[in-house]
Amino acid sequence: KTSVQGQFLERVYSSDTASLDDELSHALSGVATAASMNKPGKCDTYPLGTVAVIQHGRRHYFCAAYTEMNERNEAHGTVPGVWRCLENLWDEVRARSNGDPVAMPVIGGGQARMSHVLPAQDSIRLTILSFLLASRERRVCERLDIVVRDRDIRTLDMLELQAFLTSLQDS
């Protein structure tokens, strides 16, 4: 329940796993699977960077695959995998958000097992940089809001993040 996926399931789908599974299957119906694994739970895997777009009510949810799963249902991600995912995410946001603001969590920590390689501070910078570069190619959306968990806020150096944002304005 502390993971982004768990909170999404609980808050948007009222813990109705079958409904979420159905909508994900529908969103992924045109995407070729990368492989199938012999493991508990879902066995089909999709290419790293796949983005399943779910429209639930009036909102769009962009469910992005930025980790790989092993036979023990342990997720593992890499920085290049996150970058590829972000590139694909911005393409989907462009195509589906109608320019509306987008909110997203800090990615890479928790069950992705990347916090030692990509702590929250670096994940935020990577997300901002990818968004900025994608926006220079073509407008992605009106605004990007990065949502930070309460427990992660204490680890962030907000002055450094502000300096990072300021440095990007000059370039």
Side-chain angles (χ1 to χ4, degrees):
K1 295 197 180 232
T2 61
S3 72
V4 171
Q5 185 175 345
Q7 291 176 38
F8 176 63
L9 175 62
E10 183 177 325
R11 293 177 185 175
V12 177
Y13 286 88
S14 302
S15 300
D16 183 355
T17 306
S19 291
L20 174 58
D21 286 349
D22 287 345
E23 292 200 28
L24 282 171
S25 293
H26 177 70
L28 293 167
S29 61
V31 180
T33 58
S36 187
M37 301 175 77
N38 184 14
K39 65 178 192 67
K42 294 176 189 58
C43 298
D44 288 337
T45 64
Y46 291 87
L48 205 56
T50 298
V51 180
V53 183
I54 297 174
Q55 184 169 352
H56 189 78
R58 297 182 66 205
R59 293 187 172 192
H60 285 90
Y61 295 95
F62 299 88
C63 303
Y66 63 91
T67 63
E68 294 178 330
M69 188 80 68
N70 67 20
E71 291 82 9
R72 295 182 305 278
N73 278 330
E74 296 169 331
H76 180 272
T78 65
V79 174
V82 170
W83 186 265
R84 183 177 322 133
C85 178
L86 289 168
E87 287 179 319
N88 293 344
L89 173 64
W90 306 137
D91 287 341
E92 289 296 332
V93 169
R94 269 190 204 104
R96 313 268 182 117
S97 76
N98 201 26
D100 291 339
V102 170
M104 69 176 287
V106 176
I107 59 174
Q111 294 183 7
R113 294 174 175 80
M114 293 181 60
S115 25
H116 66 289
V117 178
L118 192 65
Q121 184 94 8
D122 294 339
S123 177
I124 292 169
R125 285 192 301 233
L126 186 71
T127 300
I128 291 168
L129 185 59
S130 71
F131 179 77
L132 175 73
L133 293 174
S135 295
R136 285 181 179 172
E137 288 176 21
R138 218 170 65 243
R139 183 175 186 256
V140 175
C141 62
E142 179 182 321
R143 186 181 75 237
L144 173 64
D145 298 328
I146 299 175
V147 181
V148 181
R149 294 184 298 187
D150 289 338
R151 71 179 190 202
D152 289 335
I153 288 175
R154 293 177 299 234
T155 68
L156 297 180
D157 181 343
M158 296 303 232
L159 292 175
E160 189 278 333
L161 282 172
Q162 184 60 50
F164 177 71
L165 288 169
T166 301
S167 75
L168 294 175
Q169 289 175 349
D170 297 336
S171 63

